[in-house]
Amino acid sequence: MGEYLRKLKLNKSLELLSSSHSLTDIAMECGFSDQSHFIRCFKENIGITTLKYRNLLKNH
């Protein structure tokens, strides 16, 4: 169940990362306890950091 919820949170964060919201705001909006936990979970599950993901979005 925890893995499923984490995937839902991360899927929502993928959408929000295309906006100009801060990482802290995105982490809170998606239900993570803090920005550090969000970034750590994102990298473990998506394979890149939130900053690299945002940079990829900007280049496309």
Side-chain angles (χ1 to χ4, degrees), residues 37-57:
H37 183 235
F38 166 55
I39 293 170
R40 191 168 50 254
C41 285
F42 190 92
K43 184 166 184 187
E44 288 173 3
N45 289 274
I46 306 300
I48 59 174
T49 64
T50 53
L51 179 61
K52 285 185 182 177
Y53 184 79
R54 270 194 161 160
N55 288 336
L56 285 172
L57 291 175

Side-chain angles (χ1 to χ4, degrees), residues 6-39:
R6 192 167 18 266
K7 286 192 184 293
L8 288 176
K9 292 176 181 181
L10 288 170
N11 284 338
K12 181 171 181 148
S13 76
L14 290 172
E15 296 171 24
L16 294 174
L17 281 166
S18 64
S19 70
S20 61
H21 292 91
S22 72
L23 290 180
T24 301
D25 289 344
I26 293 171
M28 295 298 129
E29 177 75 23
C30 294
F32 289 94
S33 56
D34 58 46
Q35 180 181 336
S36 296
H37 183 235
F38 166 55
I39 293 170

